[in-house]
Structures are given as structure tokens and as C-alpha cells.
Amino acid sequence: MSIFGRFLDINCPSRLVLAADGRYPAFRVEFVADGEIPFPQVILRASGRETLINHAAILGVEDGSGRWHYQARIPAGSAAGERLELQIEGCRRAEIQQAGGGDWIKTFAEVRLERAGAEAGSADQRGSAAEGAALAATGQRSAGARAEIQPAHGNGAEVKVYFGIHKHMHQPYYDTTNPDHWDGEKDEIFGSRAGNYTDFVPAAVRQYRDGGLAHAGLSTSWSGTLIEQLERCAELGRCGGRFSGWNRALREMAEARTALGNPRLAFSAFGFYHPLMPLIPHRDIVRNIRWHRELIERVFGAEASRVLFPPETAFHVRMIPALVEAGVEAVIVDSIHRFRACQDYPYAGIEEGMLPPNPADQVNPPVDDWLQLHNIWAASKISPRLLRPEYVGYEDVEGQLHKLIAIPAERYIGNEDARGGFGALQYPDVLGQLYQRIVDTGGFDPKHPPFFLLHSDGDNHGGGADSYYHHNTAQLVAWLKRDPRFELTTAEDYLQRFPPDPEQVVHIEPGAWAGADNGDPQFMKWFSRYDQSYSPDLNSWAVLTAFQDLVHTLEDSAPEHPALAEAVRLLLTAETSCYWYWTGQSEWDRQVTNAANLGHGRLKAELDVLVAAGRDRRGPTIFPPWIVPENPGGKRWGQGCLLDAPRAGVVHSFVADCSGLTRVELVLRDEAGERRLPMRDHGPYPTQTGAALTANYFTAELPVGAGDVRYYLEAEDRCGNVRGGSLERVYLA
């Protein structure tokens, strides 16, 4: 059998006409290879989402001359944009988990989407499939394609691009009320990741060290829930005893040091229970990070890094005060939210998968080095100049500025690296495009050169495969030793060599990573069905807000209560972001309620006594507000398009207090000064999970045409305790 080495021809429709409901018809992609492809695959990308077509959906036959002809059946679907992007690829090994990066070969094509009655696509559009085939013929899988290129010079200094790699490891508790819950499914989930949770990461770092890369290392985030379950696996012999001594290699490699004496294996600061930090209270952020730091020191014998990888890469500037209090010095953020916070950002339309940025977030100066990456899925342009650590700030209600360093995780390059390293991502070619743009625009700053992270799950898909940590890493090291334009470095080494200017403080738009419904600024992945009469996600937030108020109130008044420790653990467990991720599955939708009900039963009697005696000294608990429509007077989602959004916006929130509420107000600040708007109390949010407690649901209409405003919520309980929320921003057109 002759295994293929390249694609010879790609054939797919140049355009498709959308039906009245915005759906495109099913179609076929045909491609020819010079040999049999053990694992052919087509990746369909539309509106920031991916669909994999493989296995039985692709048929192949040999034509007698050694060539293989393949047909992939692409199902009908809907897309919000004007094109479908196709990545046609083949793995030279059928066992893709064992495949190295050099085993993957890929090419690209594009299908234009047109409304009925629209003019046919241009000649340029019709030629996209042929261009994709031409790319395949260039042999783009050579890791050393640019080995002889010498670094250019900018501003009198050698131009160099620095980057790092981050791997994230997490498993939630599958039962909030019983951390020791275990069954055959969990045994399979953990057992299939034995290498990921033991020696894969140390194997990669060892190659950096032995390859002579002076500053190279790898950062990794491990949730406390994963670590505690691995410890029980080791203790009880679960997964066939595979996790006996599971942390030995990790502890040993934690002692390896870079040329500057920093750890080559950095255990990132993290939230113990994997919470969505932008949506939980200050004290719970701090406690999550501190508990996690203590666990890292005990289990791995290493001090946790002062660089935080926030769960889901979810960041909002209102987190900064809590992060600073917890000892965090730098936070990893998704690069697109820095790009979108620029004036004159080149919004890519609905293909970007997010609405246009809200003008209130676009306060940073414009840049002129926007780059459209090729040979990689990139739904919008990136700015190489902005791929570097910077100070980011948050101004609170009192006008105090809080700041720390933000480190960009490059969205599109990191996403491709997550598919398996070399082969999935052509490092020299893709990073070379970024390098060349820096040279061409003269945007190199030797005091603050480019640095970004490629981050992905360390135990899922190609980025978690054995081949990524071994074969891919070997090729990566060999390439970097030949190509002086690029350097792999740890964040700690970079920050020590090139500290950002603390006087230059920027703003970053809120948001998460691409895998969370594109990580929009409103975190709508965790607000599913918010526009319906009942939302499982909103139910969980309302229940959680009431539970937070219950626990925090008792904690402030009776910190020695014997049931408080268990209640705090139940609360932090309930804040795990995963319980919102799989909306519509009752097992997950009930997890927050289950924890809250158990905690309520443990604390209710003591809390009733406290309230009856008038000893409640804590103000109401306020859930971070959200606005509908997201961009009043801007754009909103339509069926396969963007529509004009109503100019009238509505603020929504949950508020809870054990002693009851007397008022909840929206405090609005604009050019005319400060004004207070009473919020409408809709009563307790209707629960369908049997919750014993839930917060009240409040709304307030925003004034039309107020422009760039700041606002916060303030609430008072029946004991006279007043509490304010975080300072938010929005543009009201």
C-alpha cells in the first residue's frame, strides 16, 4: 500500500445559495491524493465554529494508477457569515493518537454563501478551491522550511519573536455533594488520560532542557478537583492502579531551572474549583487561588507561579483587585479581547463569531499592523504589535486604579497548535508571517518584544496526545535550534528580561477563549436560553447568588460555626464553571442546586437565629449585571445575519439578602453627572430544580442615547446594610 504524501486536486462548489431560513444545502468535497490516506478528514469552519467530517462520511477508492479519490459528504447547515472555510487534511497514520506532527498534511478551500437572487461569485471567489489545491502542492509540512533565514533588524536591534506553551488539566467533581463519586465512566475518563496526568508534561520539558534551550519551559494549570481525584485514584487503586505515584515525574521536573533560575515547569496560579472568575465574588476568587497554591506546594513540592491561568481563559477587569489580593502578578488573557479593545479595530463581521465590540471597550489607541494569517483558520485579523505583556487596569467605584500584567494567549495560532503541533500547525510558516509583518511595519520594540502563549487543554484532542508531548516537541526543539528568529521561553523568564512599563496601562474587553461559543464579552456560554421564560443557567446563577449570601453572611457573623467549613467547600464546588457548560442536561443543571440545598440544610437554623436577633451586619449579595441587547443601538444576532439592535437596553441582575431587601438601584454615571434609577423586583427567579433558596431577579431600563457611561448596582437590606457592585461600562447609542 502506497501512503500519500500530497494532495493532487481539490474540487468543491465555489458558491452555495442559502435558503430563505439561512441554511445552506448539503454538498460534496472531492479530493485526490497520490496514495491512500489512512485517516482523511475535512474541517468545516463557519461563524467561528468547527464541524469535523471523517470516518464513514468520507469514501475513498483507488483508480488503478496509485491515486486515491475521496468524497466527503458535508451536511446541510446554517452559517451567520458569507463563506464556509474548508480545511482538507489527511493523517498518514490511522491511529491519530500515536501520530506525529509530520504525519499530517493539509490544504484549504473556501465556499461563498449567497442569498437567493444575489449575483454569482467573482472569478476570485470561484478560484479559491484551485488555490487551496495549489497550497497542497507546495509541500507545507516541512518543519525546517525557513531554517536558513537570518533574523532581520529593527530599531538597531535583532528582531525576535518570543512565545510560550501552556497546558491545562482539569476534571470537575461529577457530584457536587459527593466528591468521592465514582463509576465505570469516570474510571474510563481518568484511565484514558494516564500519561497526561503523569509523565507527558515532564517528557516535553525534559526535551527543552536537554535540547539546550536556555529559557524554554512549559506552564501548566491543574485544578484542585482533578488533583484530589487523582490522589484518591492512587490511594484506592482506581484505573487499574495506573496512578500510583502519579506525581513523581512532575515533582522531579519541577526542580529543573532555566538560565535565569526560574522553573522550567511552572504550575500556574489557578482557581481550585475551576470557577468562572468574572462571575463570582471577590472573596471566593481569593480563596480559590490561595487554596490552590497550598495544594500545589503540597502535591508537587513547588511554589505556584504568580502568573494566573483563569479557568476558561475568562477575564474581566473587575477581577483585578481580587487577583492582586491573592498574590497574582500577571494573568493570561485571550488575545482577541485586546485586539477588539482598540480604536479602529477591523471587525471581521459575523465570521468572527462575536458581535462588534461595544464602543465603551474600545479605548486603546489604534494600531496599523493588522495581519490576516494564512494556512491556518483565523476568522479575524491579529496585531503582532499587541502580542506582548502589558499592564491592564480597572477603575473601581471610588476612582481607585487597580492594575496587573496581562499576557496574551494567541487565539488562532493556539487553537491550531491544540490540534497536535507540527502538521496541524506549521510553526515556521505561521509564526513566520507574524515575524515578517513586524519587520515590514517597523513595529519591533527591543525593550518589549512580542511574547504570547499557545494554550490548550493538556488532556484532550491533538494537543493532549502522546505525539504532541514527544514527537512534536522533538521537532519543535530541532526547529528552534536552527531558526534564530524565534525563541521558546517561560513567562517568568520573559518578564524578568523584558518587564512591561507600569505607567502604560491599557483596557481589555471582557471575554473567554474561542471554545466557549467564541468567548464573547457577555460570557453567553454561561447564560444559555437567557431570552426564554426559563433558563437552566439563570436558575443556577440565582440559586448560587442566594447560597453565596447565606454562606458569606454566616461566615462574617459566626466564623467558628462547625458546619461552615463544609458549607464553604460546597459553595466553591458549586461555582465550578462546568455546571453551566452543558446546559440542557439535567444531571449538570441540578448540580448547583444540589450543593446549595445541602448547604442550606446545614446552616438554616443558625442563620434564622442570626437574622431574628438582628445580627446581620453584611450587605446584600449582587450578581454581576448583564445587558440585553448586548450593544444597545448597535448590532444584535439575527438569523444568519446581524440586525440593528434596539437603542433601549435593559440591565439584569440577581440580588439576595438573608434579612430581606428594601431597595436595589442602578447608579449611572455620564457627562451629566450621577443619577440613580430604581430597579424593578420580579421576585425570586422561578426554579425548576427544587431549589430551597434562590435570589430575586431585578431589571432596569437604561436611558437611550447617553453615550459612554459607567454604572454599578447598589442594594440595601432591612438591617440598613448597604453594598455596591463593581463599576461597569457600556455605550448607549
Side-chain angles (χ1 to χ4, degrees):
M1 179 179 68
S2 175
I3 302 298
F4 91 119
R6 64 192 180 100
F7 291 105
L8 302 175
D9 187 33
I10 305 294
N11 184 26
C12 67
S14 63
R15 67 186 185 95
L16 295 171
V17 178
L18 297 174
D21 62 358
R23 291 176 61 83
Y24 56 82
F27 64 96
R28 293 182 182 273
V29 176
E30 299 176 350
F31 49 98
V32 182
D34 62 354
E36 183 174 6
I37 305 176
F39 188 86
Q41 179 169 268
V42 175
I43 301 175
L44 173 71
R45 296 186 173 104
S47 306
R49 293 173 173 81
E50 293 187 349
T51 302
L52 296 180
I53 295 95
N54 49 34
H55 301 303
I58 299 181
L59 302 177
V61 295
E62 199 261 343
D63 66 3
S65 66
R67 296 185 177 190
W68 278 73
H69 297 251
Y70 292 87
Q71 285 190 352
R73 301 191 300 272
I74 313 298
S78 60
E82 298 178 351
R83 68 181 186 273
L84 302 177
E85 295 180 348
L86 298 171
Q87 181 169 316
I88 301 100
E89 61 185 16
C91 183
R92 291 165 55 84
R93 299 185 62 171
E95 307 83 2
I96 59 172
Q97 290 295 327
Q98 301 177 18
D103 292 318
W104 286 93
I105 300 172
K106 62 182 178 178
T107 187
F108 300 86
E110 181 180 284
V111 180
R112 304 297 297 183
L113 299 177
E114 299 177 357
R115 308 287 168 185
E119 295 183 1
S122 67
D124 289 341
Q125 295 168 347
R126 293 194 297 270
S128 61
E131 293 169 359
L135 287 175
T138 62
Q140 293 183 31
R141 61 189 179 90
S142 172
R146 295 183 179 269
E148 301 304 320
I149 295 180
Q150 296 300 315
H153 291 77
N155 299 324
E158 179 182 297
V159 177
K160 180 171 286 192
V161 173
Y162 299 83
F163 70 99
I165 293 175
H166 180 88
K167 292 296 179 184
H168 173 51
M169 308 288 188
H170 169 60
Q171 290 291 335
Y173 283 132
Y174 288 77
D175 184 343
T176 56
T177 61
N178 178 20
D180 200 36
H181 170 70
W182 199 262
D183 56 22
E185 180 190 21
K186 310 306 175 296
D187 208 76
E188 181 179 354
I189 291 172
F190 279 74
S192 66
R193 292 163 170 78
N196 306 87
Y197 298 154
T198 57
D199 57 8
F200 281 3
V201 167
V205 176
R206 186 176 300 109
Q207 291 191 71
Y208 303 152
R209 181 193 64 190
D210 296 348
L213 303 183
H215 300 283
L218 182 152
S219 61
T220 181
S221 48
W222 294 64
S223 69
T225 52
L226 169 61
I227 292 173
E228 288 188 338
Q229 290 179 90
L230 290 173
E231 289 189 306
R232 282 195 287 276
C233 284
E235 178 185 355
L236 301 175
R238 291 170 175 167
C239 302
R242 297 180 190 179
F243 291 106
S244 175
W246 67 275
N247 59 338
R248 185 178 304 114
L250 289 157
R251 287 182 68 96
E252 292 174 355
M253 191 52 65
E255 299 178 0
R257 293 292 184 267
T258 66
L260 295 181
N262 294 309
R264 287 188 182 270
L265 174 56
F267 291 95
S268 298
F270 195 69
F272 193 107
Y273 291 90
H274 203 280
L276 198 73
M277 290 183 174
L279 300 182
I280 67 171
H282 179 114
R283 74 169 71 186
D284 291 353
I285 294 175
V286 174
R287 184 149 40 197
N288 258 282
I289 295 172
R290 288 178 175 171
W291 282 17
H292 179 263
R293 179 171 290 120
E294 293 171 359
L295 184 68
I296 292 297
E297 293 178 358
R298 176 177 66 80
V299 173
F300 299 118
E303 181 180 359
S305 171
R306 298 291 167 171
V307 176
L308 173 81
F309 178 72
E312 310 287 2
T313 329
F315 178 73
H316 193 296
V317 292
R318 63 176 170 242
M319 293 163 48
I320 294 177
L323 300 185
V324 172
E325 182 179 331
V328 171
E329 297 174 359
V331 60
I332 298 168
V333 300
D334 191 297
S335 62
I336 197 170
H337 300 298
R338 173 63 177 93
F339 302 152
R340 284 167 52 95
C342 282
Q343 300 168 19
D344 300 330
Y345 169 73
Y347 175 61
I350 47 182
E351 296 293 342
E352 193 167 297
M354 290 185 281
L355 292 173
N358 189 281
D361 284 315
Q362 295 186 283
V363 297
N364 300 316
V367 295
D368 58 3
D369 66 335
W370 297 108
L371 167 68
Q372 181 63 59
L373 292 170
H374 298 287
N375 301 339
I376 183 177
W377 173 70
S380 57
K381 294 181 179 181
I382 72 170
S383 167
R385 184 172 300 173
L386 300 181
L387 288 175
R388 64 181 186 182
E390 301 171 282
Y391 275 89
V392 59
Y394 164 70
E395 184 176 304
D396 63 22
V397 173
E398 287 75 32
Q400 181 179 352
L401 179 66
H402 307 261
K403 61 184 179 181
L404 49 58
I405 298 169
I407 299 174
E410 210 302 298
R411 166 167 288 207
Y412 300 122
I413 305 176
N415 182 69
E416 201 74 358
D417 186 57
R419 297 183 53 245
F422 266 114
L425 171 63
Q426 300 296 331
Y427 294 95
D429 173 53
V430 176
L431 269 65
Q433 297 172 46
L434 190 152
Y435 175 92
Q436 192 59 47
R437 186 61 174 162
I438 295 171
V439 173
D440 292 344
T441 59
F444 184 71
D445 180 355
K447 292 184 178 180
H448 308 105
F451 173 67
F452 53 90
L453 293 171
L454 307 180
H455 88 283
S456 67
D457 284 352
D459 58 351
N460 287 321
H461 309 300
D466 176 288
S467 60
Y468 183 97
Y469 293 97
H470 293 89
H471 178 81
N472 166 70
T473 299
Q475 291 195 81
L476 180 70
V477 171
W479 162 58
L480 289 171
K481 292 175 71 174
R482 295 193 304 267
D483 196 334
R485 298 174 302 160
F486 306 99
E487 182 172 321
L488 181 67
T489 180
T490 67
E492 288 80 4
D493 269 28
Y494 176 92
L495 293 175
Q496 189 171 334
R497 288 192 284 174
F498 310 107
D501 183 356
E503 299 303 316
Q504 299 295 318
V505 182
V506 301
H507 175 68
I508 291 182
E509 172 194 68
W513 71 298
D517 287 357
N518 297 301
D520 64 287
Q522 295 80 27
F523 304 103
M524 284 301 169
K525 177 66 178 177
W526 292 270
F527 288 83
S528 298
R529 308 179 188 176
Y530 70 93
D531 55 348
Q532 299 180 18
S533 59
Y534 176 77
S535 162
D537 281 1
L538 293 186
N539 173 70
S540 289
W541 288 124
V543 172
L544 182 66
T545 301
F547 189 31
Q548 289 165 340
D549 186 76
L550 181 152
V551 173
H552 295 164
T553 297
L554 189 60
E555 187 176 36
D556 289 351
S557 302
E560 303 303 322
H561 190 280
L564 193 57
E566 179 191 7
V568 169
R569 281 191 68 95
L570 283 167
L571 172 59
L572 298 188
T573 303
E575 291 173 343
T576 298
S577 69
C578 307
Y579 305 141
W580 284 262
Y581 207 88
W582 309 111
T583 305
Q585 299 182 26
S586 59
E587 177 184 0
W588 293 99
D589 291 339
R590 290 185 56 86
Q591 290 294 337
V592 175
T593 294
N594 293 343
N597 284 355
L598 181 58
H600 177 261
R602 297 284 196 270
L603 303 181
K604 182 178 184 301
E606 178 67 23
L607 202 65
D608 287 346
V609 171
L610 184 148
V611 171
R615 292 190 288 110
D616 178 5
R617 296 293 180 263
R618 184 179 182 278
T621 299
I622 302 172
F623 181 75
W626 71 99
I627 293 178
V628 179
E630 294 91 333
N631 295 328
K635 295 295 182 180
R636 64 179 176 89
W637 291 113
Q639 182 63 46
C641 62
L642 293 177
L643 302 175
D644 291 336
R647 297 181 67 196
V650 178
V651 174
H652 303 248
S653 184
F654 298 115
V655 184
D657 192 278
C658 297
S659 299
L661 298 163
T662 59
R663 68 176 176 91
V664 178
E665 295 177 329
L666 173 69
V667 184
L668 192 70
R669 295 174 176 175
D670 57 18
E671 292 182 352
E674 181 175 289
R675 46 183 157 161
R676 292 175 175 266
L677 307 175
M679 298 193 72
R680 178 186 174 190
D681 186 353
H682 298 267
Y685 189 81
T687 179
Q688 295 183 11
T689 54
L693 69 170
T694 187
N696 283 28
Y697 183 33
F698 286 85
T699 61
E701 294 185 3
L702 291 164
V704 171
D708 190 1
V709 303
R710 302 293 180 266
Y711 70 96
Y712 66 96
L713 273 57
E714 185 178 276
E716 182 176 1
D717 67 13
R718 292 176 180 172
C719 295
N721 300 310
V722 178
R723 190 176 185 86
S726 54
L727 188 66
E728 310 293 337
R729 60 175 69 196
V730 68
Y731 185 85
L732 303 174

